[in-house]
Amino acid sequence: MKISRRDLLVWSAGAAAGLIVTPVPWKLLDDTSIWSQNWPWIPQPVRGPIEVKQTSCTLCPKGCGMKVKMAAGWPVGVAGLGSHPISRGALCPLGFGVHQLNWHPQRLRFVRHGSQISSWNDAGAAFAKACNEGPVVVIEGYPGRAASSVLETFSQKQNGSYRVVLGSETRALEAYEAWSGVPTSSLAYDLESAKTIVSFGAPLLDGWGTPGQFTRLWAERAAGKTNPQLRLIQLEATLSRTAARAWQWTSIPVGSESGLAAGVARVLLEERLVAAHGPMPSLTLAEAAAQTGLSTEVLRDLARTIASQTPAVAIASDDNPAVAALNVVLGSVGARGGIVRRSKRTQHYISADAELPSARALLVDASVPWDFVPKTNAEVFRFAAWDGGSSKADWLLPSPGFLEETNDIPSTPTSAIETYAVSPALTKAPHEVQSAAQFLCSLDPTFTTAEKIIHSRCEELFRARIGALQAQERTPVAKFDSAQKIDEQLSKGAIWTGGPGIPGFKCVLKEWPSVNPSDSENSSTIWPAPVLPPLATKLYRESSLREASEMRNA
Ligand code: SF4
């Protein structure tokens, strides 16, 4: 077609008119004006020496490695730490803006009792009184830390109970604990050795696990290849970001994951596509097809594809015994490229979702997701750095924010590599804060503080002489001549890594778990933070990385 000068003029005029009536330029102008405003709560950066510290993010149990730019002792910027063995330089949107959170307008600045401002002395007296009157239940969301040990010891001393709010990725491993006796806290996925990953709605390329862990693996082994070394089969209702980038995407109705897992397992067993033995699902192939909306031939093709490149592992987005049973049939439990045992830890956690015992008081640690509402009539003492809105709490107790207390970071959930890191207090809180562990130690001086527990954990690492410390370079623990030096290196941002997970544990599954169509929710949407930094808010809401709950329900 020949394009005349007149056509060009008409198109240009049309484009200009179109630009005026679209919301795009006005939205950009609006954004620019909002983000360039000087809100009264935004601190003015002080002039002073600039230094960069290496540490780990403690906002959630994934513990991503980060570099923090400090100006005169205040964090003013963060970036991912490329040498971190798990996150490998990646951070989630919340992590990128974490230094902004200490100045968030919803930061808890005072002790609150009901709607009144109170004091730490009053809170301490009320808690001590409650402890004298009956048992205390302690709930936390980030188990395995030195601070967790303080919380657990306290609940035992009080004849109370210690409960844990587990993330959806950890809950997806719970079924194996029931069948093998190995605690969920020491189970993990050996993704590095897998050749086929069958994801039942788990957002593997969109925030699942530790940011950077799977995305980097995918970029190295699969992205853009027609016949990659690593296949990702995404079984999900909608064309999510993970589904769009997967090697194969099959759309299934929400809630049909258990039926699909049973259908695939039936084909694997009937056609002898796997060597492993497992119980035959009671669901027939026709019933599985009816539940999933897929034809029996599509189910057969799917099973054959999974069996054609092994090791293969199935990953559920939350607790789903049928998906776990599929892994038993695939022979992927206790095997390389499947579910492995990360450590010899034997600690079992009781979920906070189970019915809580009757108690006089409930202590909720700041690591518990804000929207967790305990079902209790006890007096609730809730620690939090930020006020996320309505919450069932009689007392709200301001906790340290980002880098305001020393914490340790145990192995990240789902990762087969055992790690240990320390995040030292690098900055001061602008008002009086106490973590739940500090609060308990201040009430009972016989308790060992979290800092002392961290030192003794460094001594254990030194004595065991296993693994290596990863800083600029990797130094085996055996080369350190004192526990003190390990402690110093960890406080400067080094990360201890153990060996890869240990396969070969026994898992007994006598009968196929009952299949109920569930309304399991995608884990990318059930990780609520009490507040978001401005940068993360923009990324979450406008990039569809994680849909806001109100949009989801619209
Ligand atoms: S996932 Fe985000 S919030 Fe969690 S540790 Fe990593 S950067 Fe921090």
Side-chain angles (χ1 to χ4, degrees):
M1 186 181 87
K2 200 174 165 209
I3 299 169
S4 69
R5 191 162 165 269
R6 184 174 177 282
D7 289 335
L8 279 175
L9 283 171
V10 169
W11 286 346
S12 307
L19 205 58
I20 289 168
V21 293
T22 69
V24 176
W26 313 115
K27 182 82 181 84
L28 285 174
L29 262 178
D30 187 36
D31 283 353
T32 311
S33 63
I34 287 171
W35 299 114
S36 59
Q37 279 173 28
N38 272 329
W39 298 100
W41 44 267
I42 294 180
Q44 298 303 308
V46 280
R47 287 188 179 277
I50 302 275
E51 47 184 345
V52 176
K53 303 271 190 185
Q54 246 177 246
T55 188
S56 298
C57 179
T58 51
L59 277 194
C60 86
K62 295 170 184 178
C64 304
M66 46 171 61
K67 288 183 282 188
V68 185
K69 192 188 262 186
M70 310 280 295
W74 300 103
V76 294
V78 296
L81 180 65
S83 60
H84 192 281
I86 312 293
S87 60
R88 298 168 71 187
L91 297 175
C92 77
L94 185 59
F96 274 113
V98 65
H99 58 293
Q100 300 165 353
L101 281 177
N102 286 359
W103 307 97
H104 198 281
Q106 280 169 254
R107 182 83 202 259
L108 264 177
R109 291 185 169 76
F110 308 100
V111 172
R112 277 203 234 142
H113 183 208
S115 54
Q116 307 288 317
I117 289 180
S118 185
S119 68
W120 280 106
N121 280 346
D122 287 350
F127 189 71
K129 180 172 178 284
C131 291
N132 285 331
E133 290 173 356
V136 178
V137 172
V138 176
I139 301 183
E140 76 143 314
Y142 193 164
R145 300 166 299 156
S148 313
S149 173
V150 176
L151 301 178
E152 191 172 5
T153 310
F154 171 81
S155 64
Q156 284 162 359
K157 198 171 170 188
Q158 282 298 313
N159 294 324
S161 176
Y162 171 72
R163 298 296 178 95
V164 172
V165 178
L166 296 171
S168 54
E169 292 148 4
T170 308
R171 286 198 299 269
L173 291 164
E174 277 187 316
Y176 308 104
E177 175 175 324
W179 302 333
S180 68
V182 180
T184 308
S185 58
S186 66
L187 292 173
Y189 298 101
D190 180 20
L191 298 180
E192 277 73 16
S193 311
K195 293 202 171 155
T196 300
I197 295 174
V198 191
S199 158
F200 287 77
L204 272 97
L205 293 167
D206 180 21
W208 181 91
T210 306
Q213 186 191 9
F214 185 71
T215 43
R216 298 250 192 269
L217 195 65
W218 182 249
E220 287 160 11
R221 300 206 188 150
K225 296 183 182 142
T226 322
N227 193 14
Q229 296 169 302
L230 175 62
R231 291 175 176 176
L232 171 61
I233 300 174
Q234 187 71 11
L235 308 166
E236 189 174 7
T238 51
L239 184 63
S240 65
R241 210 162 150 267
T242 300
R245 296 168 69 197
W247 179 71
Q248 179 180 317
W249 167 53
T250 302
S251 177
I252 55 165
V254 175
S256 67
E257 292 84 358
S258 302
L260 180 55
V264 170
R266 174 169 277 282
V267 178
L268 290 171
L269 291 166
E270 277 179 357
E271 296 191 7
R272 297 180 192 278
L273 295 170
V274 284
H277 297 286
M280 181 67 83
S282 51
L283 205 72
T284 65
L285 198 57
E287 285 167 341
Q291 272 192 24
T292 57
L294 304 173
S295 68
T296 53
E297 207 38 54
V298 169
L299 289 178
R300 285 189 188 283
D301 280 350
L302 184 57
R304 288 169 195 151
T305 306
I306 293 168
S308 68
Q309 186 167 297
T310 54
V313 63
I315 300 181
S317 64
D318 207 325
D319 182 26
N320 188 325
V323 175
L326 174 60
N327 274 326
V328 176
V329 169
L330 280 166
S332 307
V333 183
R336 281 263 165 261
I339 318 292
V340 293
R341 185 170 192 170
R342 177 175 52 209
S343 70
K344 295 237 162 73
R345 282 168 57 96
T346 51
Q347 192 174 16
H348 295 262
Y349 296 125
I350 305 178
S351 168
D353 292 328
E355 194 181 340
L356 295 175
S358 104
R360 168 64 180 82
L362 195 73
L363 185 143
V364 182
D365 185 60
S367 56
V368 171
W370 185 262
D371 70 342
F372 175 81
V373 182
K375 295 182 192 79
T376 181
N377 294 321
E379 188 175 9
V380 177
F381 294 78
R382 181 162 199 152
F383 286 78
W386 302 279
D387 182 355
S390 62
S391 157
K392 185 178 167 54
D394 299 285
W395 293 85
L396 266 181
L397 303 150
S399 309
F402 176 60
L403 299 184
E404 289 174 353
E405 68 169 332
T406 298
N407 247 312
D408 60 343
I409 295 108
S411 306
T412 56
T414 73
S415 166
I417 300 171
E418 205 181 359
T419 52
Y420 185 68
V422 173
S423 162
L426 294 177
T427 188
K428 294 187 299 287
H431 48 271
E432 193 185 351
V433 293
Q434 284 185 55
S435 68
Q438 288 166 340
F439 179 72
L440 296 178
C441 290
S442 72
L443 293 181
D444 185 344
T446 63
F447 272 66
T448 310
T449 62
E451 282 83 358
K452 284 191 182 150
I453 295 171
I454 291 173
H455 294 315
S456 56
R457 288 180 174 187
C458 291
E459 277 164 15
E460 276 169 35
L461 285 181
F462 177 66
R463 280 196 298 273
R465 303 187 90 69
I466 295 171
L469 254 62
Q470 176 77 50
Q472 295 305 331
E473 48 193 51
R474 195 176 154 80
T475 313
V477 170
K479 291 208 168 163
F480 282 84
D481 54 19
S482 72
Q484 181 66 27
K485 292 211 171 123
I486 292 180
D487 201 337
E488 281 167 17
Q489 287 297 310
L490 289 174
S491 298
K492 285 183 189 161
I495 296 118
W496 174 82
T497 51
I502 321 144
F505 62 90
K506 206 169 165 209
C507 181
V508 180
L509 176 63
K510 294 213 169 98
E511 58 182 47
W512 191 266
S514 55
V515 174
N516 293 321
S518 69
D519 56 352
S520 64
E521 202 172 359
N522 183 315
S523 69
S524 68
T525 61
I526 50 171
W527 179 48
V531 293
L532 291 176
L535 175 64
T537 309
K538 192 163 175 62
L539 285 169
Y540 274 91
R541 305 258 167 143
E542 294 184 14
S543 67
S544 304
L545 279 174
R546 286 167 197 256
E547 227 177 340
S549 54
E550 65 271 26
M551 286 164 71
R552 210 167 67 234
N553 299 332

